[in-house]
Amino acid sequence: MFNSWVSQIIQITTIMSSNGIGLDRGARFFAYHDPLYVKQFGIIAVLHEEAPEGSDALVARAEVLIIGVSKQARRRGIGSILLKHAEEFAKERGAYCLFMMTYAEDYDVIAFYGKNGFIPVATLPDVYGQTLEGNVFLRKIIR
């Protein structure tokens, strides 16, 4: 059972790395697994970046590149656990805020982030074409 879960995490990580999800920039991956329920797991990728040298910015930033929870585990708090861990990871490294982007019409995802203290701060329209919504950026100040 555990080997099956590990295999699924490796497959997800392989897919994410082949799609260039920040691995070359130092993204960190964290996973959550409920040992009582093998098919309940989640994974999050967080990118922590220091302020550019010579800039006026005094603090680092952190970005949630991707978060995913197995279908069997949704609406059970695993996504919130992963976000909380990402916040602590970023806070320990001096990040001012944690942010992410998602599709602007993905209302359930936006509501999930809102429940966890993230607020919309910007929209990038027409990313996917004129007839589709763009992306919304969400941020939570963690300092």
Side-chain angles (χ1 to χ4, degrees):
M1 295 280 202
F2 180 76
N3 289 336
S4 169
W5 175 77
V6 170
S7 173
Q8 290 177 11
I9 293 296
I10 290 170
Q11 288 173 4
I12 291 168
T13 305
T14 302
I15 291 166
M16 288 166 44
S17 62
S18 67
N19 289 334
I21 308 283
L23 286 180
D24 58 334
R25 294 173 24 211
R28 298 283 300 268
F29 290 82
F30 302 100
Y32 175 87
H33 173 251
D34 186 334
L36 298 176
Y37 304 99
V38 176
K39 294 186 177 187
Q40 293 188 12
F41 63 90
I43 189 167
I44 191 168
V46 181
L47 178 64
H48 168 262
E49 294 182 318
E50 294 296 326
E53 193 172 317
S55 75
D56 290 336
L58 300 175
V59 295
R61 69 181 192 105
E63 178 181 358
V64 172
L65 299 173
I66 195 162
I67 183 171
V69 175
S70 62
K71 287 185 181 184
Q72 300 88 336
R74 292 188 184 151
R75 301 195 186 277
R76 296 179 189 240
I78 292 175
S80 294
I81 290 169
L82 289 167
L83 277 177
K84 187 67 178 161
H85 186 77
E87 287 175 37
E88 291 303 317
F89 170 78
K91 188 183 282 188
E92 289 171 2
R93 284 154 184 78
Y96 170 74
C97 69
L98 183 63
F99 74 97
M100 76 279 294
M101 73 174 177
T102 191
Y103 184 57
E105 284 190 353
D106 207 342
Y107 305 120
D108 289 341
V109 172
I110 294 168
F112 162 73
Y113 288 134
K115 182 184 95 169
N116 284 280
F118 290 82
I119 58 170
V121 293
T123 303
L124 183 61
D126 301 334
V127 174
Y128 304 105
Q130 290 180 323
T131 61
L132 298 172
E133 291 294 325
N135 287 327
V136 61
F137 291 82
L138 299 106
R139 175 185 75 177
K140 181 176 184 179
I141 296 173
I142 58 174
R143 207 178 232 238

